[in-house]
């Protein structure tokens, strides 16, 4: 089976996404790109992660043409492709409907550096304006607003995280959901203290060498 490892990765992390509470039902989507062949393995549209099999994962080229797979690719294929075109360092994309991140997105709030783990995204988590799901407009907005960040909020929609591997993209999605929860809780109680840019610059530099770093990883746990 073509790109078997990548397809298995999409299935494994789809299950993990549900188990971690980052989405429900068939919500959200994941993909991995093989830069050598320009082939994208992306979760299919409308199939529950609990029954998803590697053969259900759809392969497309970088223009969105289906190469292999009988299912329809995710409705958000467009913004996955736009991210791969915009950011050559990105090898995987994770899109979640995680509750605290979605809460921030529905409030129209960016997530500032309320906790240093916001560094999984950058100095903050930026917010992109709303566009209907699955549209070319949304794909353009995602590519425009991602900048050099590794996670972003989509207004009234959800969270997008990217990484040099599925491990790093998923770690960013998990950690930003944690930071979104902390920001929600601190705002509910009082006025959170936000870390200054100078401190976040130190944090981002330390992230480069933290943990058991693998070659090509842009950030570490």
């Amino acid at each position: 089976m073509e790109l078997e490892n990548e397809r298995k990765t999409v299935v494994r992390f789809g299950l993990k996404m549900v188990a971690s509470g980052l989405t429900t039902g068939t919500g959200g989507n994941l993909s991995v790109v093989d830069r050598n062949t320009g082939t994208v393995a992306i979760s299919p549209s409308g199939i529950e992660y609990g029954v998803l099999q590697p053969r259900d994962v759809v392969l497309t080229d970088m223009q969105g043409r289906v190469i292999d797979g009988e299912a329809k690719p995710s409705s958000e294929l467009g913004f996955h492709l736009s991210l791969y075109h915009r950011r050559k360092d990105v090898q995987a994309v994770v899109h979640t409907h995680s509750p605290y991140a979605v809460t921030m997105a529905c409030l129209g709030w960016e997530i500032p550096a309320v906790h240093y783990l916001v560094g999984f995204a950058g100095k903050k988590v930026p917010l992109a304006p709303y566009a209907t799901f699955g549209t070319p407009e949304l794909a353009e907005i995602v590519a425009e607003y991602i900048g050099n960040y590794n996670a972003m909020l989509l207004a009234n929609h959800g969270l997008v995280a990217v990484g040099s591997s599925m491990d790093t993209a998923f770690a960013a999605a998990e950690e930003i959901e944690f930071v979104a929860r902390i920001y929600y809780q601190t705002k509910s109680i009082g006025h959170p203290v936000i870390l200054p840019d100078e401190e976040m610059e130190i944090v981002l530099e330390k992230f480069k060498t933290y943990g058991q770093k693998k070659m090509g990883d842009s950030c570490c746990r």
Side-chain angles (χ1 to χ4, degrees):
M1 182 168 55
E2 189 176 356
L3 263 61
E4 182 174 2
N5 288 337
E6 287 80 358
R7 285 168 142 167
K8 287 181 176 179
T9 294
V10 170
V11 170
R12 179 162 62 90
F13 279 89
L15 290 170
K16 189 174 181 181
M17 189 163 65
V18 174
S20 300
L22 298 183
T23 197
T24 57
T26 62
N29 33 76
L30 315 89
S31 72
V32 182
V33 65
D34 180 347
R35 291 287 183 181
N36 293 324
T37 62
T39 304
V40 176
I42 188 166
S43 53
S45 177
I47 298 179
E48 291 188 13
Y49 297 104
V51 299
L52 190 64
Q53 299 296 316
R55 65 177 178 273
D56 298 320
V57 176
V58 184
L59 301 186
T60 79
D61 63 17
M62 291 290 280
Q63 287 67 51
R65 294 184 289 260
V66 174
I67 297 170
D68 190 36
E70 296 184 3
K72 288 174 54 180
S74 168
S75 60
E76 301 296 11
L77 173 63
F79 78 59
H80 286 249
L81 295 175
S82 70
L83 288 167
Y84 291 134
H85 284 293
R86 179 60 62 93
R87 290 271 299 272
K88 303 306 181 185
D89 59 312
V90 169
Q91 307 283 10
V93 176
V94 176
H95 170 46
T96 76
H97 294 165
S98 43
Y100 286 95
V102 170
T103 299
M104 298 299 109
C106 290
L107 285 166
W109 293 354
E110 295 184 331
I111 304 175
V114 65
H115 190 285
Y116 75 87
L117 286 176
V118 80
F120 272 78
K123 292 182 181 180
K124 64 177 183 177
V125 184
L127 173 74
Y130 179 79
T132 305
F133 80 93
T135 60
E137 181 186 4
L138 180 60
E140 292 175 8
I141 285 172
V142 169
E144 177 183 354
Y145 279 81
I146 189 67
N148 292 321
Y149 294 98
N150 290 324
M152 63 188 297
L153 298 174
L154 308 180
N156 303 93
H157 188 161
L159 172 76
V160 178
V162 299
S164 59
S165 67
M166 183 62 80
D167 287 298
T168 56
F170 193 87
E174 278 193 306
E175 299 296 353
I176 296 308
E177 173 63 4
F178 166 76
V179 175
R181 180 177 180 177
I182 296 302
Y183 191 45
Y184 172 87
Q185 291 175 170
T186 54
K187 290 283 282 186
S188 297
I189 297 169
H191 301 285
V193 176
I194 306 302
L195 294 171
D197 280 355
E198 294 78 8
E199 174 59 21
M200 286 309 302
E201 288 173 5
I202 295 171
V203 168
L204 292 176
E205 191 63 29
K206 288 176 71 67
F207 269 7
K208 293 178 181 179
T209 56
Y210 179 74
Q212 305 302 313
K213 189 172 186 291
K214 299 178 181 178
M215 291 298 293
D217 282 358
S218 60
C219 187
C220 308
R221 300 194 74 154

